[in-house]
Amino acid sequence: IIPNPITLEPNGYSTCTGNKIISVGRLTEQKGYDLLINAWKAIAFKHPDWIINIYGEGELHDKLQQQICDSHLEKQIILCKPVTNISEKYIESSFYVMSSRFEGFGLVLTEAMCCGLPCISFNCPSGPSEIIKDKEDGLLVENGNINALADSICFMIEHEEKRIQMGKKAKGNVMRYSTEHIMQQWNELFKGLIQKQQ
């Protein structure tokens, strides 16, 4: 399998020292933002100064906004419209959270990592475990386990030094998905096919 390359070219990297978290994706059942909102209930009273910005549109926008309001989390969970300068939003954040029920490859994880962000994700089928090196450049959480997701977010919030280290690792590790590296894999594939035909 040859994965998609990173096409994002950030103008800098996150310091991982602010109080913002980011997530990017369509507001659909697949992305599990309802699970993330439920997880945040256990985080809100511990870390009221932290916020998470969710960038995306979709058919569940109104339902998710109502869930946020019903949980009194309007000041901490912000549903944002998609933006053209998403790399700047990554850089403004301290880490990335993915709450998807399932994924293909998870390109947003590689985008966040190339901006220097450690990532937290459910270990859902099938992409996150291929991208995130658990406890090295991010954290993998049992799929669908809301309490474990909340615990992992709290850990990342509460351990700034570890967060910064993971961010630096993420920036380096994700280069295996650079265009140069991926194109090399394609070249090797085509060369191998040509050789078999000769």
Side-chain angles (χ1 to χ4, degrees):
I1 297 172
I2 300 178
N4 293 324
I6 304 167
T7 56
L8 196 69
E9 296 182 2
N11 296 318
Y13 302 99
S14 171
T15 63
C16 300
T17 57
N19 65 343
K20 291 182 181 179
I21 306 167
I22 188 171
S23 189
V24 180
R26 293 171 290 109
L27 305 183
T28 62
E29 183 77 8
Q30 175 198 345
K31 299 300 181 180
Y33 287 123
D34 56 319
L35 306 178
L36 178 56
I37 294 167
N38 284 334
W40 199 272
K41 294 175 185 178
I43 301 164
F45 73 96
K46 291 182 181 179
H47 304 287
D49 56 329
W50 279 74
I51 65 169
I52 180 163
N53 293 304
I54 300 172
Y55 290 89
E57 293 180 326
E59 65 266 21
L60 294 185
H61 178 278
D62 293 347
K63 184 176 180 180
L64 292 171
Q65 187 61 58
Q66 188 61 54
Q67 184 183 357
I68 291 167
C69 292
D70 290 345
S71 303
H72 308 291
L73 298 173
E74 304 96 315
K75 293 182 179 180
Q76 288 185 275
I77 303 178
I78 316 298
L79 299 182
C80 309
K81 291 183 180 296
V83 294
T84 56
N85 61 332
I86 193 62
S87 63
E88 293 178 19
K89 303 304 178 183
Y90 285 131
I91 293 167
E92 291 172 2
S93 307
S94 283
F95 61 96
Y96 187 95
V97 176
M98 176 180 278
S99 54
S100 297
R101 290 178 165 88
F102 60 92
E103 276 293 335
F105 175 66
L107 188 61
V108 288
L109 293 176
T110 61
E111 289 181 348
M113 290 170 74
C114 83
C115 292
L117 294 183
C119 296
I120 297 173
S121 176
F122 280 139
N123 192 8
C124 64
S126 56
S129 63
E130 298 174 14
I131 300 170
I132 297 172
K133 295 185 178 180
D134 190 34
K135 298 180 178 65
E136 181 177 322
D137 53 27
L139 299 172
L140 289 170
V141 180
E142 181 186 3
N143 195 22
N145 189 328
I146 293 171
N147 292 331
L149 180 62
D151 289 345
S152 294
I153 293 172
C154 284
F155 177 88
M156 198 72 83
I157 288 173
E158 294 162 5
H159 295 81
E160 183 178 275
E161 186 175 335
K162 185 68 174 175
R163 189 170 74 234
I164 293 170
Q165 290 174 355
M166 285 185 174
K168 290 178 180 177
K169 279 285 189 180
K171 186 169 59 175
N173 289 348
V174 80
M175 293 315 295
R176 67 188 187 275
Y177 297 111
S178 67
T179 301
E180 181 181 356
H181 188 74
I182 298 302
M183 288 309 297
Q184 183 179 346
Q185 292 183 53
W186 279 107
N187 284 333
E188 290 172 358
L189 172 64
F190 291 138
K191 285 178 182 177
L193 291 173
I194 292 170
Q195 287 173 358
K196 284 182 179 180
Q197 292 177 348
Q198 290 175 344

